[in-house]
Amino acid sequence: DLMLQKNTGKLTGWVAYAWAKAPRSLAKGDEWITYPSVHNREHDLNVVANYRLSGKWNFSATYIYATGTPYTEVKSAYILGENGIVMYEKHNGSRYPALTRLDVAATYQLPRYRAIEHSVKFSIYNATFAENPIAYAYNHAKGNIVYKRPVCLFSTAVPSVSYFMHF
């Protein structure tokens, strides 16, 4: 793990990088089979920046890059009558594409009311519309053809408005 952080001035934030492996081993007869854990993300980069424009406005951005997680790829699939028969590749031998995401936000500090501090935050999750598959769906088409399509949780930007109150 490596982290660089800036805590002073109008621009603050950090850059953090982690490299890790999480292998798993399983006894199969007299030999051991080693494969990557489903949680194995070898490279993980996070960049966070905050910019205080004035006493009222604060802007922030978070960028994330992470190696895709391992999964077990379908080698082939057949339909026999009404039954599906699936053959798999090596356990966790494939990886999803790398995950990338940019989140941005602007916070406006409202005037203080008695002892209450409050603000409004405008944010966009996945501002770059990154398509990060979390799984693959296998669908059956005409002619006994099976095809694979990525399943993405959020492949569009998700805007939000939040109100915060501190008392």
Side-chain angles (χ1 to χ4, degrees):
D1 291 345
L2 175 66
M3 182 174 182
L4 301 172
Q5 187 169 3
K6 182 180 184 296
N7 294 325
T8 58
K10 285 190 165 203
L11 179 65
T12 60
W14 65 85
V15 175
Y17 173 76
W19 180 85
K21 282 195 173 208
R24 297 288 183 256
S25 294
L26 173 69
K28 187 175 182 180
D30 292 339
E31 63 180 286
W32 284 89
I33 299 170
T34 302
Y35 58 93
S37 162
V38 72
H39 304 290
N40 186 46
R41 282 194 172 161
E42 292 184 12
H43 303 281
D44 197 348
L45 174 69
N46 293 283
V47 179
V48 175
N50 295 298
Y51 182 74
R52 180 159 298 283
L53 181 65
S54 64
K56 299 215 180 266
W57 282 102
N58 186 51
F59 298 93
S60 61
T62 302
Y63 175 76
I64 298 168
Y65 170 87
T67 304
T69 55
Y71 75 99
T72 304
E73 177 83 48
V74 172
K75 183 177 187 176
S76 58
Y78 306 94
I79 308 285
L80 268 152
E82 295 180 10
N83 300 315
I85 298 170
V86 181
M87 305 291 287
Y88 294 97
E89 294 285 351
K90 182 179 173 187
H91 184 70
N92 283 352
S94 298
R95 284 191 178 272
Y96 290 110
L99 175 139
T100 61
R101 195 179 81 227
L102 175 67
D103 304 333
V104 295
T107 305
Y108 181 73
Q109 186 73 39
L110 296 165
R112 194 178 187 118
Y113 177 75
R114 295 186 183 163
I116 299 172
E117 293 179 16
H118 53 148
S119 60
V120 177
K121 185 177 200 172
F122 308 93
S123 61
I124 301 173
Y125 175 89
N126 194 21
T128 57
F129 294 76
E131 293 185 359
N132 296 307
I134 59 167
Y136 288 112
Y138 294 88
N139 297 78
H140 175 250
K142 291 182 179 179
N144 290 338
I145 297 172
V146 175
Y147 64 95
K148 158 176 115 169
R149 71 174 173 80
V151 176
C152 302
L153 188 58
F154 293 106
S155 57
T156 184
V158 180
S160 70
V161 178
S162 306
Y163 173 75
F164 296 91
M165 185 185 321
H166 184 265
F167 50 92

